[in-house]
Amino acid sequence: MCGVFGIYGHPEAANLTYLGLHALQHRGQESAGIVTSDGDQLSSDRGMGHVIDVFPPDHLARLKGQHAIGHVRYSTAGGSFLKNAQPIAVDYARSSVAVAHNGNLTNAEAVREKLEERGSIFQTSSDTETIVHLVALSQQKAPEDRIADALSQVQGAYSLVCLTPDSLIAARDPMGIRPLCLGKMPDSGAYVVASEPSSFDLIDAKYVRDIEPGEMVIIDKQGVRTLRPFGDAPRKSCIFEYVYFSRPDSIIDGVSVYQARKNLGRQLAKLHGVEADVVIPVPDSGVPATIGYAEESKIPFELGLVRSHYVGRTFIEPQQSIRHFGVRLKLNPVGAALEGKRVVVVDDSIVRGTTSRKIVKMLRDAGAKEVHMRISSPPTKWPCYYGIDTPTRGELIASSHSVEEINQYITSDTLAYLPMDAMIESVVNAKTGPAQQARSRLPVLQSEKPLTKDSFCVACWTGEYPIEFTPHPRQRQMRLLDV
Ligand code: AMP
């Protein structure tokens, strides 16, 4: 759960990266960082917290140069510390490189152990640093070859942007697990790369195309080049990006996130309809699915819960305990929409079950007569090893409880999840038309891998992991060091 952004060839590279990161803030709120290049040297600034707090104007003014990359982080490997903030920038024998990474590497610990045996000294506990060491150690000359060499030694999910003094290099893992797309600013001709295309809108950049699974795009003085340095692999894009994580105004790999979520809601209504007076979302991620549910079921959409957007990382809790304090900070019921009503509540997932349980209680306290919980994905039973923050299997309520047991735990009248087939169909059916997908004439080597019903990673529901993951014995040790 991170966001990456990069820009090549714009006099305001740092400012535009700041704005791009701001539009990707939903992908990570723990830390933010920007590295710029003036064509000769890299300058770096990173801090803990939201983009707007990490980069006051004087910090941005110090980041000189026409090229930049940036990162927002939500730690999924390595703890939440400044030293783990990205981009990671280093000088090595020949030059300098900075790397910003979204995704998780599955063999990072094993690679790290080998590197440490050979004398490498790691500064962070983040898996991304292994890539940086491998780049520095590579015997290749050209930066893109060094990066390709490094990436050929790692496994897992990576959507990367790398900055060298005179190039911006973007790469997506062979399965295309996390999103990554390319854009262009029409006036300046500057190229941009980002986790999601919605970040282009704020800076008036035009979406060009998604970076293909297994593709490396090099942007430098010569223009844009594309390479396929890795072996072929089936596409396995994370479907949870559509269900929960990405912004609804993003189009990812040709699929509108908004339309996908509406389809999920429609299917929920078709397959798990129930007599009710209102249907309400758990905001914000549940809103488009609820619109779909309301359209399909003809049950009126109401805003039964209001979300505060101002919950920061730290808050003062009164000493005398307040019931539901944590969840009330984020969500509060609207009595006028709920009193005396039979309510359908739509959310995207149940993880531990604690939020749903509190929401049901809150809705009943606000006067709801019945509460029917509808979830727009199947029961989450397995942790993600590729970059979505999910707790251990033991903490995932659906890994050890049936739907009826979960229904009882969260105290809803009924609970239903969307089946796998319906989820996949909803996303595939949300492919956008050719006009929205307007592709540039930039070359893409080999055939593209269009999304089909077989192109998704669904491991958090099935436990079928497309990339093998055996936790390394050192993983536990690293966590302890972080505490
Ligand atoms: P829980 O209380 O643990 O069951 O959390 C369920 C809520 O967490 C749902 O409202 C989801 O929208 C949200 N959610 C799902 N996946 C994640 C995630 N990886 N990180 C943060 N929130 C999530």
Side-chain angles (χ1 to χ4, degrees):
M1 293 169 79
C2 294
V4 297
F5 187 90
I7 181 162
Y8 184 91
H10 196 289
E12 280 199 84
N15 288 347
L16 293 174
T17 302
Y18 166 82
L19 294 173
L21 290 181
H22 179 71
L24 295 171
Q25 187 77 79
H26 63 289
R27 297 186 70 88
Q29 298 98 45
E30 286 184 2
S31 66
I34 297 178
V35 173
T36 55
S37 166
D38 60 6
D40 185 30
Q41 279 196 330
L42 302 186
S43 317
S44 161
D45 194 0
R46 306 175 305 167
M48 299 302 289
H50 288 189
V51 177
I52 197 162
D53 301 319
V54 173
F55 295 106
D58 56 319
H59 281 230
L60 278 176
R62 287 201 290 265
L63 289 168
K64 305 267 185 248
Q66 305 214 321
H67 323 305
I69 61 170
H71 188 267
V72 284
R73 176 161 196 264
Y74 183 118
S75 60
T76 49
S80 173
F81 297 100
L82 181 57
K83 69 182 165 74
N84 282 343
Q86 295 190 27
I88 299 177
V90 294
D91 294 322
Y92 59 95
R94 279 175 188 274
S95 184
S96 317
V97 69
V99 177
H101 170 208
N102 174 209
N104 266 16
L105 304 180
T106 50
N107 68 340
E109 288 305 326
V111 175
R112 183 181 176 125
E113 194 171 62
K114 274 193 202 135
L115 291 171
E116 284 181 339
E117 275 163 13
R118 280 159 48 185
S120 295
I121 297 170
F122 278 72
Q123 304 287 321
T124 77
S125 59
S126 129
D127 55 345
T128 311
E129 198 185 346
T130 52
I131 299 174
V132 177
H133 280 268
L134 291 170
V135 172
L137 284 168
S138 172
Q139 299 299 307
Q140 300 291 330
K141 284 216 172 71
E144 62 266 32
D145 295 335
R146 296 179 88 95
I147 292 168
D149 187 18
L151 293 178
S152 67
Q153 298 171 63
V154 299
Q155 286 156 12
Y158 51 85
S159 280
L160 284 186
V161 287
C162 309
L163 190 69
T164 73
D166 51 14
S167 66
L168 171 65
I169 298 170
R172 198 172 174 195
D173 68 73
M175 292 191 169
I177 295 177
R178 299 274 145 242
L180 194 64
C181 60
L182 179 68
K184 193 171 185 182
M185 302 190 68
D187 295 341
S188 60
Y191 281 99
V192 283
V193 176
S195 296
E196 293 183 43
S198 45
S199 64
F200 294 158
D201 297 342
L202 183 60
I203 59 168
D204 266 344
K206 293 276 170 266
Y207 164 80
V208 171
R209 64 172 175 82
D210 289 271
I211 291 176
E212 290 280 298
E215 184 182 12
M216 181 183 260
V217 171
I218 301 122
I219 308 165
D220 59 18
K221 283 200 292 288
Q222 299 165 45
V224 179
R225 284 171 289 139
T226 162
L227 295 177
R228 289 295 187 106
F230 320 118
D232 203 22
R235 179 194 269 271
K236 290 289 169 196
S237 297
C238 169
I239 202 168
F240 202 55
E241 290 276 350
Y242 300 99
V243 174
Y244 167 76
F245 198 39
S246 294
R247 272 172 57 153
D249 49 347
S250 282
I251 294 172
I252 292 181
D253 291 321
V255 170
S256 154
V257 175
Y258 180 75
Q259 194 54 50
R261 286 187 194 160
K262 269 185 80 176
N263 292 351
L264 295 168
R266 280 188 174 280
Q267 291 278 9
L268 258 182
K270 270 191 205 155
L271 298 172
H272 295 296
V274 59
E275 283 207 9
D277 304 306
V278 294
V279 52
I280 67 165
V282 176
D284 290 323
S285 56
V287 173
T290 310
I291 296 172
Y293 192 104
E295 280 182 9
E296 184 66 33
S297 64
K298 311 278 189 287
I299 297 172
F301 174 104
E302 292 281 359
L303 266 185
L305 290 164
V306 171
R307 185 185 195 100
S308 163
H309 292 105
Y310 310 106
V311 186
R313 286 177 54 79
T314 49
F315 47 81
I316 300 156
E317 189 168 359
Q319 289 184 343
Q320 225 175 15
S321 85
I322 293 178
R323 267 184 330 133
H324 312 307
F325 183 78
V327 81
R328 273 247 158 84
L329 261 182
K330 269 197 201 160
L331 298 169
N332 206 32
V334 182
L338 301 166
E339 245 165 75
K341 304 273 170 59
R342 294 168 300 171
V343 180
V344 176
V345 195
V346 180
D347 202 355
D348 49 78
S349 54
I350 294 179
V351 182
R352 297 178 180 84
T354 45
T355 308
S356 309
R357 187 178 157 94
K358 286 180 176 165
I359 286 173
V360 174
K361 173 96 174 67
M362 213 153 71
L363 297 175
R364 288 203 201 278
D365 288 351
K369 216 163 63 181
E370 293 174 15
V371 180
H372 302 278
M373 186 66 86
R374 293 293 176 270
I375 304 298
S376 62
S377 61
T380 308
K381 294 185 177 176
W382 299 86
C384 176
Y385 298 122
Y386 313 133
I388 294 283
D389 182 39
T390 35
T392 58
R393 193 155 148 70
E395 290 167 274
L396 292 169
I397 190 167
S399 72
S400 54
H401 294 80
S402 67
V403 174
E404 190 38 45
E405 286 168 342
I406 301 170
N407 184 40
Q408 280 173 24
Y409 175 73
I410 67 174
T411 72
S412 41
D413 290 278
T414 66
L415 164 68
Y417 289 86
L418 194 64
M420 177 71 67
D421 290 358
M423 175 179 68
I424 293 175
E425 194 187 311
S426 300
V427 174
V428 173
N429 287 345
K431 278 193 190 168
T432 52
Q436 272 170 297
Q437 288 184 42
R439 299 214 161 207
S440 80
R441 263 149 246 107
L442 291 172
V444 179
L445 297 186
Q446 293 180 18
S447 65
E448 296 173 20
K449 295 181 189 168
L451 275 184
T452 67
K453 64 180 183 35
D454 300 317
S455 333
F456 297 105
C457 174
V458 290
C460 49
W461 299 288
T462 62
E464 286 161 26
Y465 293 98
I467 306 167
E468 206 181 315
F469 180 72
T470 321
H472 190 271
R474 278 186 20 156
Q475 214 105 17
R476 191 168 292 249
Q477 246 178 327
M478 290 307 303
R479 290 256 158 81
L480 280 179
L481 279 178
D482 273 348
V483 170

